């Protein structure tokens, strides 16, 4: 029975991880910042998030304040969820050529079907 060289196997995995990391970094450098954006139908509330949902920007126009704070908070949460899906879609497409698709989905980066209301009308990093 052949012996298994654990050090050699670990070195190969580390080398593959380094190559994938370098390829992913190069791909992201070409595609630019990956963010998700969403705005209310009337444009009174706009949000921007990083992949994973970290809120990086909120714009609230004066007209959005007339509905009260509870409605505004709900609207911001809904838009943040939509923007998070969009950021995940963008990250998925930016990295799909260099990272295994199952790994991307495990990280929460999934493509949005074209017929989904959250799908954007332009491509990003595709």
């Amino acid at each position: 029975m052949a012996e298994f060289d654990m050090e050699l196997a670990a070195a190969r995995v580390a080398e593959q991880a380094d190559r994938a990391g370098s390829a992913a970094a190069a791909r992201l450098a070409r595609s630019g910042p990956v963010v998700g954006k969403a705005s209310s139908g009337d444009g009174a509330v706009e949000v921007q998030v990083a992949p994973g949902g970290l809120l990086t920007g909120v714009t609230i126009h004066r007209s959005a304040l007339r509905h009260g704070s509870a409605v505004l908070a709900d609207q911001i949460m809904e838009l943040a969820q939509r923007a998070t899906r969009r950021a995940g879609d963008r990250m998925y497409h930016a990295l799909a050529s260099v990272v295994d698709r199952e790994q991307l989905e495990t990280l929460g980066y999934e493509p949005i079907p074209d017929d989904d209301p959250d799908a954007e009308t332009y491509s990003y990093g595709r």
Side-chain angles (χ1 to χ4, degrees):
M1 187 161 147
E3 246 183 74
F4 182 74
D5 186 344
M6 183 60 109
E7 288 183 26
L8 180 60
R12 286 183 180 157
V13 169
E15 182 181 326
Q16 289 173 338
D18 286 344
R19 277 198 312 265
S22 295
R27 179 81 172 156
L28 288 174
R30 283 192 308 272
S31 69
V34 177
V35 298
K37 297 179 181 181
S39 62
S40 60
D42 61 1
V45 181
E46 302 167 346
V47 300
Q48 180 175 303
V49 302
L54 177 66
L55 194 61
T56 59
V58 178
T59 303
I60 302 170
H61 298 277
R62 185 176 298 256
S63 63
L65 300 175
R66 69 175 173 245
H67 300 295
S69 60
V71 171
L72 181 58
D74 288 344
Q75 191 171 38
I76 291 170
M77 292 299 293
E78 178 185 334
L79 292 173
Q81 289 173 344
R82 177 174 290 146
T84 298
R85 286 191 70 211
R86 288 177 174 169
D89 175 72
R90 289 177 170 200
M91 184 64 87
Y92 181 92
H93 289 290
L95 295 178
S97 65
V98 295
V99 177
D100 183 68
R101 293 171 192 257
E102 287 180 13
Q103 291 173 332
L104 290 171
E105 290 173 3
T106 298
L107 293 170
Y109 304 137
E110 298 180 353
I112 297 175
D114 291 338
D115 61 348
D116 189 294
D118 286 343
E120 297 181 282
T121 57
Y122 59 93
S123 66
Y124 178 88
R126 295 184 193 186

